[in-house]
Amino acid sequence: VLNEIFPELDALYGKSEQKPGVRYFEGKKGLGIVLKEILDEAKELICISSIQDLFDKLSEYYPQFTTHRIAQKIPIRIIARDSQKARDRQKMGPQELRVVKIINTDIPFKALIYIWNNKVAMMTLKEDFMIVVIESKDIALTHRALFEWLWNK
């Protein structure tokens, strides 16, 4: 019996020394923890989001986050779905260390992705705010490559 289940157990626990760290957060408290982590660690930040949804759901967090990000000189590039808020952010970009690329799409963005250092944070933009943070050089590089591909299209 052990010979039958050993391959499955071995695959579950693996032998990789570079397993990704995965953390899960919920609610506004979790959001605050992740935003603080970004401000504490990021040298630069890239993001894919619907800026309109972001402001509709998280308007009390982002002015303060932006102020701290600017004070710490953390530049951000954002790929955003077209909206008036996205166009406003694009215009204000240079003074807020922000560059926004707007894309026209009918595909709804209902989540936010931040990429910094070797981390990727994915957040739902619903009332309960579910957030997954993955710490993995390979996963961050892959998300960064996808971002750059979209950015350069």
Side-chain angles (χ1 to χ4, degrees):
V1 174
L2 286 176
N3 285 337
E4 291 175 23
I5 64 170
F6 185 73
E8 287 182 44
L9 290 173
D10 193 40
L12 280 173
Y13 292 100
K15 293 180 179 158
S16 172
E17 293 180 17
Q18 295 186 339
K19 293 181 181 115
V22 179
R23 293 175 292 139
Y24 175 78
F25 302 89
E26 287 184 343
K28 291 183 179 183
K29 183 176 179 182
L31 176 67
I33 290 168
V34 174
L35 294 178
K36 182 180 182 325
E37 183 173 325
I38 291 169
L39 291 172
D40 288 346
E41 298 175 355
K43 310 260 183 300
E44 66 175 350
L45 191 56
I46 56 179
C47 174
I48 300 173
S49 179
S50 165
I51 292 176
Q52 187 67 53
D53 288 342
L54 182 70
F55 273 83
D56 288 348
K57 303 294 183 191
L58 302 172
S59 60
E60 73 256 31
Y61 282 90
Y62 275 87
Q64 185 178 22
F65 177 75
T66 300
T67 299
H68 288 303
R69 184 182 55 74
I70 294 166
Q72 292 175 228
K73 297 181 174 38
I74 302 169
I76 187 169
R77 287 186 298 149
I78 303 170
I79 295 173
R81 190 166 180 244
D82 190 21
S83 68
Q84 185 58 52
K85 280 285 189 197
R87 291 188 295 275
D88 293 345
R89 294 288 158 253
Q90 188 178 48
K91 287 177 190 167
M92 295 169 39
Q95 68 238 29
E96 294 186 349
L97 301 177
R98 180 190 311 110
V99 179
V100 178
K101 179 168 187 168
I102 295 173
I103 59 173
N104 291 310
T105 180
D106 292 330
I107 300 168
F109 294 10
K110 293 298 179 187
L112 164 70
I113 300 172
Y114 278 127
I115 305 162
W116 76 102
N117 302 352
N118 289 331
K119 294 183 180 181
V120 177
M122 296 172 281
M123 309 175 187
T124 62
L125 294 174
K126 294 186 175 189
E127 297 305 321
D128 53 354
F129 306 119
M130 294 178 291
I131 307 147
V132 175
V133 178
I134 302 171
E135 184 170 4
S136 163
K137 181 178 180 182
D138 292 336
I139 291 173
L141 283 171
T142 300
H143 276 81
R144 190 171 271 109
L146 289 169
F147 177 92
E148 295 298 344
W149 179 74
L150 285 169
W151 186 265
N152 291 315
K153 276 196 85 81

